[in-house]
Every structure is written in structure tokens, then in C-alpha cells.
Amino acid sequence: MKKNQSEFEEFKEKALRPKESIISMFFITPISIRLAYFIKKRKLNISPDKITLTGLFFFSPLTALLLFLAPVLNLRIFYLFAAISFYFSLFTDWLDGQVARGLDKQSEKGAFLDI
């Protein structure tokens, strides 16, 4: 048990940015760092670029679509779904950086996509 905990702490130190914002510390990092470690531990074939592209081409357009449809269809629930989709977009952006730093898979292509 202690070995796994120390491995996680080493990964966490390597993957996290030196300064975290308040929002990320409480709402994103506690989940994303564990998911990034899970990806490393299970040796899943999930690259940081795949995570970035998921957020870029799925969650971002979904958020925009929901924000467009909410007033058109007069459905307030779509605003909630848009907020959730936006959270997942932020989450994937955070996760890809942690996976890249934690697995030493940083690249120029990934840095370009992340912008």
C-alpha cells in the first residue's frame, strides 16, 4: 500500500504545475491527477494529444451547440448541460497537461494543440 502511495505522490509532483489556481485545486485537479495516474498505471494507450482532440472537437462544439439551442428551443436545462460540457472541456485540457508531464510525453505538436 505504501509503495502505491509513494508512486502516486511522485507522479503527482511530476505532473502538477508549480502553481495551481483556486478553481483547479478544488474542482479539477483532485479528479484529473488520479485519472492521469490511472492512465499511467494501467498503461492505457491514451496520449495527451488524444485527450486534447477530444476536448477540442467534442466538448467545445457541444458547449457551443447547447448554448445556441437553449434560447432557440426555450429549454433552460440546456444551460446546465452546457455548463457540464464546459467543465469537461476544461477537465480534458487540464488532464492532457498532467498526462503529458507525468508520462514525459510533451511535444511541440501537443503544445500547439493545447493553445
Side-chain angles (χ1 to χ4, degrees):
M1 181 75 166
K2 287 193 179 220
K3 181 183 176 192
N4 287 338
Q5 185 66 23
S6 65
E7 285 178 8
F8 175 72
E9 291 301 324
E10 287 175 25
F11 178 83
K12 186 176 174 181
E13 187 175 312
K14 186 176 181 182
L16 291 179
R17 293 179 182 165
K19 291 185 178 182
E20 298 280 333
S21 69
I22 295 291
I23 292 174
S24 68
M25 270 183 358
F26 291 109
F27 298 108
I28 298 173
T29 301
I31 300 168
S32 64
I33 194 66
R34 284 169 177 78
L35 185 55
Y37 182 69
F38 180 80
I39 290 169
K40 175 193 182 271
K41 188 81 171 161
R42 300 287 183 216
K43 298 178 181 162
L44 300 177
N45 189 23
I46 300 175
S47 70
D49 293 343
K50 289 178 185 176
I51 297 169
T52 300
L53 293 173
T54 299
L56 187 63
F57 291 113
F58 181 72
F59 290 115
S60 297
L62 179 62
T63 303
L65 178 67
L66 289 168
L67 287 173
F68 172 75
L69 289 177
V72 171
L73 299 175
N74 199 23
L75 292 172
R76 289 185 176 178
I77 192 77
F78 278 21
Y79 290 115
L80 174 63
F81 293 148
I84 293 168
S85 177
F86 183 69
Y87 172 81
F88 279 112
S89 181
L90 290 175
F91 183 81
T92 58
D93 184 45
W94 215 255
L95 180 64
D96 74 342
Q98 291 176 348
V99 170
R101 287 186 297 275
L103 299 177
D104 290 322
K105 289 189 174 184
Q106 298 165 341
S107 67
E108 288 182 29
K109 177 184 167 189
F112 176 76
L113 286 173
D114 201 37
I115 293 174

